[in-house]
Amino acid sequence: MTTDLVDHVLQEVARRNEQFKPTTVNKLIELEIDPGTLLAFDKNDINLGELRQDKDKYLKDLTRDNTQLLINKIWELPTERRDEDIVATLPDPTYILPREKPLPKITMTKWEEFALEKGIRKTKKVKKKWDDILKEWVPTYGFKRRLAEKKHQWMLPVPANADPMEDQFAKKSAAQKERVARNEYQRLRNIARSNKTKVPSVGVMPHESVLSSRQLREAADVAVVSTASIGKYQPSLPLEKS
């Protein structure tokens, strides 16, 4: 009984040692490591016998050892603690990696060009501010801000030349929806401009009579580019010509 217990303990220790390997790895030729790009070059010869015997195990063990050496090199760099994490400062890379594709072209929107010309910088918005009338903290943006505005504007003045029976709340809501639609239209035009896509300047006016083939084709062209992607992911019609 004691012998079986000792054998079980030894097997468990061996299994745990296999699962948690040591951090020290011995190599005949030291690896060339570039911490700046997290690269490690192994110039040691491949053991063909172990590779033919069990290819997957040999490659996994080789990858694990080389990765351990790379991590050991990273731990030699200056580190600092940020919140609950330990961050290492990587040095400048010494190995230049080739790119598969050229660098993407940076295209700015109309607003970005205007902000760069005028020197406008983006500042962090304040999420909440104190309202002296409501005596509470209210959000500066979002749907909850609209609820706070409704508490403020429970009554709207009627202009002097306006119809006294006109609903001022409905008029204000319609004006707000119109501004939102105009901003969305301008946003889509900016996307089309950055992608160098031509869009019609005006829409298609409704017709009471039967539309001609030219008018139908024009309406279809306008409908295709009316999506958020300016028609990029719009499927083609069954008989549509490319």
Side-chain angles (χ1 to χ4, degrees), residues 103-197:
L103 291 172
K105 297 181 180 179
I106 301 177
T107 57
M108 293 190 298
T109 61
K110 188 176 180 181
W111 163 251
E112 290 174 344
E113 292 178 355
F114 177 78
L116 181 62
E117 180 182 356
K118 299 297 182 180
I120 302 175
R121 296 183 179 180
K122 186 177 180 180
T123 57
K124 188 176 181 181
K125 294 182 179 180
V126 181
K127 293 184 178 181
K128 290 185 178 182
K129 65 178 182 180
W130 178 256
D131 195 316
D132 293 332
I133 299 177
L134 299 178
K135 301 300 180 182
E136 62 182 6
W137 292 94
V138 297
T140 56
Y141 56 90
F143 74 97
K144 292 185 178 181
R145 180 182 66 87
R146 304 292 299 173
L147 298 178
E149 289 182 354
K150 288 183 179 180
K151 293 181 181 179
H152 275 289
Q153 299 180 351
W154 58 273
M155 179 178 62
L156 291 177
V158 179
N161 299 328
D163 184 4
M165 303 303 296
E166 184 180 13
D167 189 352
Q168 298 298 325
F169 289 98
K171 184 178 179 180
K172 182 180 179 181
S173 177
Q176 173 67 20
K177 291 180 180 179
E178 183 179 355
R179 287 195 299 270
V180 171
R182 185 166 59 249
N183 293 337
E184 178 66 13
Y185 174 72
Q186 186 62 36
R187 185 183 71 85
L188 294 177
R189 287 182 61 86
N190 290 337
I191 295 176
R193 177 176 173 272
S194 62
N195 294 332
K196 297 181 180 180
T197 304

Side-chain angles (χ1 to χ4, degrees), residues 216-217 219-225 231 234-242:
L216 288 174
R217 185 166 59 252
D221 293 340
V222 173
V224 166
V225 297
Q234 185 71 14
S236 302
L237 298 176
L239 300 179
E240 183 180 2
K241 296 181 180 180
S242 59

Side-chain angles (χ1 to χ4, degrees), residues 17-39:
N17 291 337
E18 182 68 22
Q19 182 179 2
F20 303 102
K21 295 183 179 180
T23 58
T24 57
V25 179
N26 296 322
K27 289 281 187 175
L28 183 61
I29 303 176
E30 293 186 1
L31 271 63
E32 295 182 7
I33 298 177
D34 180 15
T37 51
L38 300 179
L39 285 178

Side-chain angles (χ1 to χ4, degrees), residues 89-108:
T89 304
L90 298 180
D92 295 333
T94 58
Y95 185 83
I96 301 177
L97 289 174
R99 288 186 60 90
E100 179 185 0
K101 297 180 180 179
L103 291 172
K105 297 181 180 179
I106 301 177
T107 57
M108 293 190 298

